[in-house]
């Protein structure tokens, strides 16, 4: 049974920073994507960033490029999301996700991912 434990959300002022963490357990996570999505009430869950475990390629949504950085520690099976220069529009519940190897879907499509965390709230005040 795969388990994802997220932490690091909270309330921050615009321009501030937060770091999210997601620790995975329960199986081998080699050669898999790990990523972050976010969702606000009434909207679809949207891709934020992901990273693969083999060569460390990273991918970002245009809305966060240059402000957010995704990284992973393969030894700890943990993925991080460093969020800088936060904006009120970044307010959302952030979800950690692990590749389900549904290769029909691209890395930015939530249907690609087979395992999800419980979500952590990030609130950015103006």
């Amino acid at each position: 049974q795969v388990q994802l434990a997220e932490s690091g959300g909270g309330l921050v002022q615009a321009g501030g920073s937060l770091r999210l963490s997601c620790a995975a357990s329960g199986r081998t996570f080699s050669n898999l994507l790990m990523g972050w999505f976010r969702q606000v009430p009434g909207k679809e869950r949207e891709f934020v960033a992901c990273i693969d475990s083999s060569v460390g390629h990273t991918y970002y949504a245009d809305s966060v490029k240059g402000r957010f950085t995704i990284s992973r520690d393969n030894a700890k099976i943990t993925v991080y999301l460093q969020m800088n220069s936060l904006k009120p529009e970044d307010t959302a519940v952030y979800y950690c996700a692990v590749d389900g190897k549904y290769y029909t879907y691209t890395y930015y499509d939530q249907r690609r991912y087979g395992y999800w965390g419980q979500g952590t709230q990030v609130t950015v005040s103006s």
Side-chain angles (χ1 to χ4, degrees), residues 7-8 18-22 35-38 48-50 59-60 64 67-72 79-84 94-95 122:
S7 60
L18 283 174
R19 188 195 196 206
L20 305 183
S21 299
C22 174
W36 293 92
F37 285 72
R38 65 188 182 186
V48 175
C50 70
Y59 306 89
Y60 296 94
V64 307
R67 300 187 298 120
F68 290 11
T69 302
I70 189 170
S71 60
R72 66 189 286 166
V79 64
Y80 305 96
L81 186 69
Q82 178 66 44
M83 305 185 293
N84 298 330
Y94 283 70
Y95 295 92
V122 171

Side-chain angles (χ1 to χ4, degrees), residues 39-58:
Q39 188 172 25
V40 297
K43 290 191 176 181
E44 292 279 324
R45 190 171 296 185
E46 66 171 3
F47 171 77
V48 175
C50 70
I51 184 169
D52 72 56
S53 64
S54 54
V55 295
H57 286 154
T58 57

